[in-house]
Amino acid sequence: MSTARIVVTGIGASSPLGGTAPESWSALLNGESGTRTLEHDWVEQYSLPVTFAAEAKVRPEEVLERPIAKRLDPSSQFALIAAKEAWADAGAPDVAPERLGVDFATGIGGVWTLLDAWDTLREKGPRRVLPMTVPMLMANGPAAAIEMEFGARGGARTYLSACASSTESLAEAYRHVANGEADIVIAGGAEAALHPLPLAAFASMQALSRRNDSPETASRPYDVTRDGFVLGDGAAALILESKEHAEARGATIYAEVAGSGITSDAFHITAPDPEGSAAARAVLQALEHADASIEDVVHVNAHATSTPVGDVAEYHAMRRVFGDHLDDVVVSATKASTGHLLGGAGAIEAVFTVLALHNRVAPPTINLHDQDPEIVMDVAREPRPLPDGDLLAVSNSFGFGGHNAVVAFRSV
């Protein structure tokens, strides 16, 4: 692989905290929660046991022109909104189409389109099924929408590794730029699975919090009273290019993508390896690629879904990696504010990690009142200043199927 340094020059997001990356970051630092009671008729219609979620604060139909929106599944709508913001933030770079790539992710894909089409088929017959159904439901829809919007002909790839998906997309985007396969890559992930079926299914497997009476406090990573995650939707995108390329065009540089690691547990389809050995290897791979030591890491944006088992397993992985140095690492668990965006989670958390380095402040973890005594870490409960000098931060993502993906970022 080339020794070129790969940097982030643009960011975009549509999240439960805000319609843009700056709005989402500001709300995160303010300790806001993006979780709210769902105001949809189908919640009562299906007697859902969980009546809240972290819906994107700005719905995509409020942003996109109607002719565009109606031809895209909500997952692709979110992806396009985030990518357009990131592209503009990067200065709308002038790049040859053949040198522009897309690496984008989703965990579930066009579930709204699929299930709406099934309802139409059952209730109205096959002639009423929309001809755009397949292009809208296919999992590569978000990547395709971005590719066509920007005329990217350097490859448009889709990653589907459950909740590790968009961190994998960043890892692969890093590799594609470093290998000289593209000058610029639009990377990230999107999810729009706030549909009654996924909500019912996640609730059935006891994965979701049941705090219907207090949704804004439902996601509480590391707290002894945590009882599951909060389902969220939205998207985030990052523009990656070589440092040399960015400097040549006078771009603003947020942070360097220093390295990445991808491993698998081969343990269980939903449960993480309680020892965290493969997750730990992913972190160590990222640090090795970054030519960094464990002592260089000052901040971790943890996967931290707020499940009783998952939070402890990730802690064991991090303690396995960092040993005593973990006590000197500031940990943020931002899903407490955003909920869990599934295939989009790694992307929004990467944006937050980049902004933490850029602004030298670790974001707070809300709803943590009584930290689990099994999890001995320095978890930021208020915005925490990060030190001066060269900083290294890590963003963790772990998904069903035993997928582990980690990206390391360095301050610039």
Side-chain angles (χ1 to χ4, degrees):
M1 185 179 290
S2 166
T3 58
R5 298 175 64 184
I6 312 306
V7 297
V8 177
T9 56
I11 54 175
S14 181
S15 83
L17 292 174
T20 65
E23 290 169 358
S24 299
W25 175 247
S26 177
L28 180 67
L29 291 183
N30 287 336
E32 297 178 21
S33 171
T35 302
R36 295 168 283 276
T37 298
L38 291 167
E39 304 292 341
H40 301 292
D41 292 343
W42 46 258
V43 176
E44 183 176 354
Q45 177 185 354
Y46 295 110
S47 301
L48 293 178
V50 174
T51 61
F52 61 91
E55 285 190 289
K57 192 167 186 177
V58 178
R59 302 314 299 173
E61 59 270 19
E62 299 175 34
V63 180
L64 294 176
E65 296 177 2
R66 179 172 170 77
I68 296 174
K70 72 178 185 179
R71 297 175 68 85
L72 298 173
D73 180 81
S75 59
S76 296
Q77 294 172 5
F78 282 126
L80 187 56
I81 289 167
K84 289 174 73 172
E85 182 192 354
W87 189 255
D89 188 45
D94 182 14
V95 57
E98 294 76 16
R99 301 297 298 166
L100 175 61
V102 176
D103 285 302
F104 225 78
T106 184
I108 293 180
V111 64
W112 270 102
T113 296
L114 175 63
L115 295 176
D116 280 356
W118 173 240
D119 289 341
T120 298
L121 175 63
R122 288 187 300 109
E123 296 168 8
K124 301 178 180 179
R127 293 177 63 87
R128 298 296 296 274
V129 174
L130 296 175
M132 282 293 292
T133 297
V134 170
M136 289 172 66
L137 70 82
M138 61 191 189
N140 64 307
I146 294 169
E147 162 214 333
M148 288 185 286
E149 172 69 20
F150 297 102
R153 297 179 179 175
R157 304 165 180 88
T158 297
Y159 302 88
L160 296 102
S161 298
C163 307
S165 298
S166 53
T167 300
E168 281 196 16
S169 79
L170 289 165
E172 291 303 301
Y174 165 84
R175 184 175 64 82
H176 291 141
V177 179
N179 284 346
E181 298 172 38
D183 290 333
I184 296 178
V185 172
I186 305 168
E191 203 74 89
L194 289 182
H195 180 284
L197 178 59
L199 275 166
F202 278 124
S204 180
M205 66 188 299
Q206 307 297 314
L208 297 181
S209 171
R210 300 294 182 101
R211 297 180 185 278
N212 292 321
D213 58 340
S214 183
E216 68 280 356
T217 69
S219 183
R220 45 183 67 195
Y222 306 136
D223 197 276
V224 292
T225 61
R226 66 191 185 277
D227 68 332
F229 71 83
V230 173
L231 189 58
D233 67 358
L238 301 91
I239 307 300
L240 272 59
E241 58 189 297
S242 72
K243 188 170 186 287
E244 181 182 17
H245 189 273
E247 289 177 340
R249 66 181 189 87
T252 297
I253 297 175
Y254 284 99
E256 178 185 350
V257 185
S260 63
I262 297 174
T263 65
S264 49
D265 286 351
F267 176 77
H268 190 274
I269 191 61
T270 57
D273 178 354
E275 299 301 317
S277 58
R281 283 196 301 109
V283 178
L284 290 171
Q285 280 184 14
L287 296 181
E288 181 180 358
H289 291 168
D291 193 23
S293 69
I294 60 173
E295 289 80 14
D296 294 329
V297 177
V298 298
H299 173 53
V300 170
N301 189 302
H303 185 60
T305 59
S306 188
T307 60
V309 173
D311 287 6
V312 173
E314 184 178 13
Y315 166 69
H316 288 160
M318 289 201 286
R319 185 61 72 176
R320 183 185 289 262
V321 170
F322 295 109
D324 291 342
H325 177 65
L326 183 59
D327 300 332
D328 299 320
V329 175
V330 181
V331 178
S332 296
T334 53
K335 287 185 181 70
S337 293
T338 66
H340 192 352
L341 273 62
L342 306 181
I348 187 65
E349 288 153 21
V351 166
F352 291 155
T353 307
V354 165
L355 288 173
L357 291 176
H358 186 67
N359 295 289
R360 295 186 179 267
V361 57
T365 301
I366 64 171
N367 302 329
L368 176 55
H369 306 294
D370 188 3
Q371 189 164 329
D372 189 334
E374 288 188 55
I375 301 174
V376 185
M377 295 190 301
D378 180 13
V379 183
R381 304 191 192 192
E382 301 290 339
R384 185 81 64 81
L386 295 175
D388 295 330
D390 294 333
L391 306 180
L392 196 74
V394 167
S395 182
N396 293 338
S397 295
F398 311 119
F400 283 178
H403 299 278
N404 308 306
V406 175
V407 176
F409 296 95
R410 182 176 282 117
S411 62
V412 294

